[in-house]
Amino acid sequence: MDLPPHGYRPTAKPRARGAPATGDSVLFEDTSSTAPGLNTQGYYTPGYNMGAASNDMHGGAGVNNLFTDPMASAAVMYGSSLANQGKDMVNKEISRYVSVNKLKYFFAVDTRYVLKKLMILMFPYTHQDWEVRYHRDTPLTPRQDVNAPDLYIPTMAFITYILLAGMALGIQKRFSPEVLGLCASTALVWIIIEVLVMLLSLYLLTVHSDLSTFDLIAYSGYKYVGMIFTVLCGLLFGSDGYFVALAWSSCAVMFFIVRSLKMKILPSISSDSMGMGSSAKPQLRLYITVATAVFQPIIIYWLTSHLVR
């Protein structure tokens, strides 16, 4: 028996797997290292958006350039400063002629005040206390004092009167924009005339009272509540109902004006009579109060008679 010779005998090395030839086709291709959207043939795949990158690049650059441009930023800042200056100038000009804080005072109302004021305007004979209340020499707001004048009720009553006039003219087949505009302008002119006459009378008689222009506009505008009541009664009950409502609303507004202005104008009579001893001025002040009250029914009839036939 022959034995193998002693000594180290190297074992056979395993055969290494050769790399595929370049010319052979590959079943699965590794595309992780290639650029997105490109295949091995160099064509763009259909699912790749070619315009997205370029649009984002150009759009983002344009927006960034707009906000980083010093000229654009300066223009924006200059425009905002001009807008603020214009707003301040408008507010200053308005404040020269109209006090915003005082105007807010006349519109400081609530539902309870409006209901109570309307009841006083239509039934003033049952109201007892007509004195305007003050807090540290400052009159209370209308929502705190029912005797304080306000501009909410006159404004709403004026608008309601214009709408009611248009409805009345439409029912009678006499509506036209010109007639409605004439009715609104006439009512507004009468208020202006009445307030100007009252201011001129108080100025000529040197009456020192706390009546302001807003107070006079408020007292002059309260008549529109009676005018609305008169026109409604005329439309519902004819001419008889119109004249009955006219008499009631006229007496009510006259009584209301006398009792309200009595607390504003007539209290200065005693101080003047004690100082100068003159009796003409107190009499003229009383005449102004009565004349203002008597003037209300004339305006009510003048502005409502043509609406009811």
Side-chain angles (χ1 to χ4, degrees):
M1 176 176 181
D2 295 332
L3 295 173
H6 295 283
Y8 176 76
R9 184 179 180 179
T11 59
K13 293 181 179 181
R15 297 176 61 183
R17 302 179 66 179
T22 56
D24 297 339
S25 62
V26 181
L27 182 60
F28 297 100
E29 182 181 1
D30 186 9
T31 59
S32 60
S33 60
T34 59
L38 291 174
N39 54 19
T40 54
Q41 284 77 18
Y43 298 98
Y44 287 98
T45 57
Y48 182 71
N49 188 4
M50 294 185 294
S54 62
N55 289 339
D56 292 340
M57 183 183 300
H58 293 291
V63 173
N64 293 331
N65 291 334
L66 177 61
F67 285 100
T68 57
D69 187 5
M71 294 297 295
S73 302
V76 172
M77 294 179 61
Y78 183 69
S80 61
S81 64
L82 282 180
N84 293 331
Q85 291 178 4
K87 182 179 178 181
D88 295 339
M89 290 178 62
V90 171
N91 294 333
K92 186 181 297 184
E93 291 297 326
I94 293 176
S95 301
R96 288 178 57 187
Y97 302 99
V98 178
S99 178
V100 178
N101 294 329
K102 186 176 293 186
L103 195 60
K104 289 180 180 179
Y105 163 82
F106 286 94
F107 283 93
V109 301
D110 54 7
T111 305
R112 179 173 173 270
Y113 167 81
V114 172
L115 294 177
K116 292 182 66 175
K117 196 73 169 186
L118 292 177
M119 291 297 296
I120 294 175
L121 289 172
M122 297 306 301
F123 306 97
Y125 316 105
T126 60
H127 191 60
Q128 300 298 327
D129 186 12
W130 293 85
E131 186 176 358
V132 178
R133 294 174 176 82
Y134 289 82
H135 176 68
R136 296 179 180 178
D137 297 334
T138 302
L140 297 178
T141 59
R143 68 165 61 99
Q144 297 171 338
D145 183 15
V146 72
N147 295 323
D150 72 286
L151 288 176
Y152 177 80
I153 293 179
T155 302
M156 294 295 104
F158 180 82
I159 296 174
T160 306
Y161 163 75
I162 300 302
L163 298 177
L164 186 61
M167 185 183 72
L169 294 174
I171 293 174
Q172 302 171 13
K173 308 297 182 181
R174 296 187 295 121
F175 176 81
S176 66
E178 294 79 10
V179 175
L180 187 61
L182 181 63
C183 181
S185 59
T186 303
L188 186 61
V189 167
W190 273 115
I191 289 183
I192 296 174
I193 292 175
E194 183 179 356
V195 172
L196 290 179
V197 170
M198 191 68 179
L199 288 174
L200 183 62
S201 301
L202 295 176
Y203 175 77
L204 293 178
L205 295 176
T206 62
V207 176
H208 301 285
S209 65
D210 56 351
L211 278 173
S212 64
T213 305
F214 291 138
D215 292 327
L216 297 179
I217 294 175
Y219 288 123
S220 177
Y222 284 136
K223 71 170 70 68
Y224 287 99
V225 177
M227 292 167 59
I228 294 171
F229 174 72
T230 303
V231 174
L232 285 176
C233 290
L235 294 177
L236 295 176
F237 306 106
S239 59
D240 295 336
Y242 168 78
F243 285 108
V244 171
L246 177 64
W248 178 269
S249 59
S250 299
C251 294
V253 72
M254 288 173 62
F255 188 85
F256 175 82
I257 291 296
V258 170
R259 294 303 302 268
S260 298
L261 293 183
K262 181 181 179 181
M263 299 297 174
K264 299 286 187 178
I265 298 178
L266 297 183
S268 59
I269 293 178
S270 58
S271 61
D272 287 346
S273 61
M274 292 175 60
M276 300 298 297
S278 174
S279 59
K281 284 187 177 180
Q283 291 179 358
L284 290 178
R285 291 172 182 175
L286 181 61
Y287 294 157
I288 290 176
T289 305
V290 175
T292 304
V294 173
F295 192 61
Q296 306 303 313
I298 300 175
I299 302 179
I300 293 177
Y301 177 76
W302 179 264
L303 296 177
T304 58
S305 59
H306 67 283
L307 299 176
V308 179
R309 290 185 178 179

